[in-house]
Amino acid sequence: MELVQFYSTLIVQLISILAGAACLAVYLVSRRRGFLFAFWAFLFYFFDATLIFQDAFVGATMQVPEELYLTARSIASIVSGGGVFVSVWLLVCDFFDEKRPAMLAAPGVAFVAGSVACLVFADTIPHDRFAFYSMRACLLFWTLGYTAVRYLRMDKGAERERMKRYKPFYFVLLAGGAAFFLEDVLFFLVAPLQGGVLSLFSPERNYCEELLMIACAAIACRSAYRALSLRYEQPPVREDERIESLIDDNLALYGSRHKLSKREQEVLRLVLLGFDNQNIASTMNVAASTAKVHVHNILHKTGHANRQDLIRDFWSTW
């Protein structure tokens, strides 16, 4: 049984580091911050899984008082678990273009404060451990609740249509969060495991949380593959219908965020397809000077100095 737990933990670590590497690759190519936050989430989860090996190693080879080790282990768990779920929170904030400092920082601060309070003030095992690990579920549910509120308050339009594409992912997170919370209830309160913290098979390890991470890794790798298939350095080929479809899906959202007129959105679409000013003018039946003015206005509204930066920014919001 211990051998099975060993290899399952190894697989979880491998999946988390591969997903993190894929997300980092996309970020380096596109500078899409959402993938950077995803990278940090998977990296922190890798270290969180490493704590399981640390538990077994300390239990087998070192004579450390369990109470002392449990305190040190808990601090490490705050760092790794907080790193995972705060990164997910920041990814969601980036998705909604949330920039208020207090809103960005408050959930992470509350997670750390709540976790420390569980260590300091709780004195009944296993109830204190249940409260301690429940802080992860609380932070995840806060993130999901914020997402639901933003969606419900949103007017029908490009932003809401964009969110609908992520509904399956949302419900995966919701179901996974409920599952790993219920697993904590079962193994800490209803039927506590006897292995103790210094064991690979202990209530300190949450298998539903690991399955949720694997599902998120699969979704992240799929998104990374799609993102890397796009071109960030050069405009896409005009005959590529898939690229044109992606442009059309994101154009209204990008235009509304930067207050581009319908005409400017039409020009932007042609810019993204690689048209120069003369070709834009010919396609739209306007003077070349008019096309040049539209392009200048688009660059000004979006805050970019050239077309290449504009193209990169457009794909970064996809």
Side-chain angles (χ1 to χ4, degrees), residues 141-159:
F141 289 138
W142 162 264
T143 302
L144 295 174
Y146 172 86
T147 303
V149 169
R150 286 293 298 262
Y151 177 77
L152 294 174
R153 289 182 175 180
M154 192 172 294
D155 295 332
K156 292 182 179 179
E159 189 87 24

Side-chain angles (χ1 to χ4, degrees), residues 158-286:
E159 189 87 24
R160 191 162 189 171
E161 289 302 316
R162 178 192 181 211
M163 287 189 64
K164 285 182 179 179
R165 300 203 300 265
Y166 294 93
K167 270 188 175 181
F169 183 37
Y170 178 87
F171 287 111
V172 166
L173 287 175
L174 184 62
F180 81 69
F181 176 77
L182 291 175
E183 183 178 329
D184 282 341
V185 172
L186 176 63
F187 289 136
F188 280 114
L189 303 181
V190 178
L193 296 175
Q194 302 301 316
V197 67
L198 302 181
S199 169
L200 279 174
F201 193 72
S202 76
E204 308 288 327
R205 179 180 185 182
N206 192 301
Y207 294 92
C208 289
E209 186 181 86
E210 291 180 0
L211 290 175
L212 178 60
M213 188 282 299
I214 292 172
C216 291
I219 294 170
C221 288
R222 177 176 177 270
S223 297
Y225 172 78
R226 294 179 64 188
L228 288 173
S229 69
L230 302 174
R231 301 183 181 185
Y232 293 94
E233 296 296 334
Q234 299 295 333
V237 177
R238 297 180 194 176
E239 290 76 15
D240 191 335
E241 293 182 359
R242 177 172 174 272
I243 295 295
E244 291 192 32
S245 176
L246 291 172
I247 290 173
D248 292 337
D249 288 344
N250 205 39
L251 188 60
L253 171 62
Y254 190 83
S256 65
R257 282 191 174 181
H258 295 282
K259 297 180 173 56
L260 301 180
S261 67
K262 289 293 184 182
R263 196 64 164 171
E264 288 168 343
Q265 290 183 36
E266 293 175 16
V267 173
L268 174 58
R269 185 181 188 278
L270 296 177
V271 169
L272 294 166
L273 289 172
F275 285 70
D276 58 23
N277 289 346
Q278 187 60 55
N279 287 329
I280 291 173
S282 300
T283 302
M284 300 182 67
N285 294 317
V286 298

Side-chain angles (χ1 to χ4, degrees), residues 81-135:
V84 172
F85 292 99
V86 170
S87 295
V88 172
W89 163 246
L90 293 176
L91 188 156
V92 169
C93 288
D94 179 72
F95 182 88
F96 288 112
D97 202 28
E98 174 65 70
K99 296 180 179 178
R100 291 173 292 177
M103 199 66 177
L104 295 174
V109 173
F111 172 83
V112 174
S115 299
V116 171
C118 290
L119 295 178
V120 173
F121 298 109
D123 56 0
T124 57
I125 298 177
H127 295 83
D128 57 343
R129 303 307 294 168
F130 168 73
F132 177 79
Y133 281 104
S134 294
M135 298 306 300

Side-chain angles (χ1 to χ4, degrees), residues 56 138 255 310:
C138 289
L310 173 64

Side-chain angles (χ1 to χ4, degrees), residues 265-315:
Q265 290 183 36
E266 293 175 16
V267 173
L268 174 58
R269 185 181 188 278
L270 296 177
V271 169
L272 294 166
L273 289 172
F275 285 70
D276 58 23
N277 289 346
Q278 187 60 55
N279 287 329
I280 291 173
S282 300
T283 302
M284 300 182 67
N285 294 317
V286 298
S289 59
T290 302
K292 183 177 180 180
V293 169
H294 281 312
V295 173
H296 173 77
N297 290 338
I298 293 170
L299 292 173
H300 176 72
K301 288 184 178 181
T302 57
H304 298 295
N306 53 58
R307 293 178 179 228
Q308 188 178 54
D309 290 344
L310 173 64
I311 292 169
R312 287 180 180 175
D313 184 56
F314 177 85
W315 289 119

